[in-house]
Amino acid sequence: MLNIAVFVSGGGTNLQALLDAQQAGQICGGQIVAVMASKPGVYALERAAKHGIAAEVVRKAEYADTAQYAQAMLQFLHRHQIGLIVLAGFLSIVPEEVIRAYPNKIINIHPSLIPSFCGPGFYGLRVHQAVLDAGVKVTGATVHFVNEVVDGGAILFQKAVSVEEDDTPETLQRRVMEQAEWKLLPLAVSKFCEGKIQVEGRRTRILP
Ligand code: GAR
């Protein structure tokens, strides 16, 4: 069994989707053992507590520099013997030291079809606002590996979602979550834990 840590910053609906999938026996070969939040008071922490999952806050502002922040994260990961890190609405930058320690072992969910509407400054509702401003008719979600480039790692799964004429950022966010994010993330986590993802440069192959 691979130990999974989920990193969160907000409401945690993607964390909930993972917990529900785990309860339904849909995460094969892995178990969520720890949750790390970038700030206190977020609802995702309550979701973790309700499921009896160990949760901790590691807040960048509390450390003198990025190296010490990275050390705190690495200690958390080693303590729980983590083999897969899932960024589920984690809105802080993961330090390079942590990324180097977990190559192709960190996955992120992003609420657009990468390489559109991604990179620095594109997070949460801002992504959906940018999609509406651009007037595109299709958006979606992407699950990808995390590397040193923001939203730049190899892509694992993508799903397209329609943009409707009367959408607000909030209605579009909800549709992207319901139709894409909450399905893709548990699927990607399960495939990873089953050892069914092969990486060949920028391309990935998902084994049946
Ligand atoms: C989700 O839509 C996720 O894709 C997005 O933040 C939201 C978190 O919601 N992540 C990013 O924008 C990362 N660039 P949640 O806390 O309810 O899972």
Side-chain angles (χ1 to χ4, degrees), residues 8-15 44 47 88-91 108-111 119 122-125 127-128 151 173 176-177 181-182:
V8 295
S9 296
T13 63
N14 278 289
L15 168 65
R47 295 183 195 269
F90 185 67
L91 302 183
N108 178 46
I109 178 102
H110 182 77
F122 284 93
Y123 59 86
L125 283 173
V127 177
H128 304 293
D151 298 328
Q173 179 183 55
V176 169
M177 284 176 158
E181 295 187 46
W182 299 340

Side-chain angles (χ1 to χ4, degrees), residues 34 45 98 168:
L45 286 168
V98 176
T168 62

Side-chain angles (χ1 to χ4, degrees), residues 23-208:
Q23 214 147 33
Q26 290 161 357
I27 308 280
C28 306
Q31 54 184 352
I32 300 161
V33 297
V35 167
M36 199 196 79
S38 60
K39 55 184 178 198
V42 297
Y43 190 62
L45 286 168
E46 280 185 43
R47 295 183 195 269
K50 275 185 197 153
H51 281 76
I53 310 260
E56 221 172 280
V57 177
V58 177
R59 201 176 192 177
K60 188 163 191 272
E62 278 167 24
Y63 298 90
D65 53 27
T66 308
Q68 285 187 27
Y69 175 54
Q71 275 314 309
M73 259 191 199
L74 287 170
Q75 277 167 18
F76 168 88
L77 294 166
H78 293 155
R79 204 171 337 117
H80 293 285
Q81 299 184 301
I82 296 302
L84 170 66
I85 303 166
V86 182
L87 309 186
F90 185 67
L91 302 183
S92 294
I93 299 289
V94 179
E96 274 193 34
E97 211 174 328
V98 176
I99 294 173
R100 276 198 301 274
Y102 290 82
N104 286 344
K105 288 180 180 162
I106 309 177
I107 65 177
N108 178 46
I109 178 102
H110 182 77
S112 77
L113 293 175
I114 290 174
S116 290
F117 308 106
C118 63
F122 284 93
Y123 59 86
L125 283 173
R126 289 174 182 227
V127 177
H128 304 293
Q129 182 67 63
V131 163
L132 294 176
D133 290 346
V136 298
K137 301 287 186 185
V138 175
T139 183
T142 303
V143 178
H144 63 92
F145 281 122
V146 172
N147 65 10
E148 291 78 6
V149 180
V150 178
D151 298 328
I155 291 171
L156 301 175
F157 289 95
Q158 290 190 300
K159 191 164 188 293
V161 174
S162 295
V163 179
E164 305 296 343
E165 287 173 6
D166 296 332
D167 266 334
T168 62
E170 288 79 10
T171 61
L172 185 56
Q173 179 183 55
R174 183 76 193 179
R175 188 175 317 109
V176 169
M177 284 176 158
E178 281 176 357
Q179 293 185 9
E181 295 187 46
W182 299 340
K183 294 176 183 167
L184 286 193
L185 192 57
L187 175 65
V189 167
S190 187
K191 287 285 183 188
F192 182 96
C193 294
E194 287 178 281
K196 290 194 170 164
I197 296 172
Q198 285 180 355
V199 187
E200 296 156 14
R202 287 218 42 87
R203 301 176 71 172
T204 61
R205 191 181 292 276
I206 313 296
L207 305 177

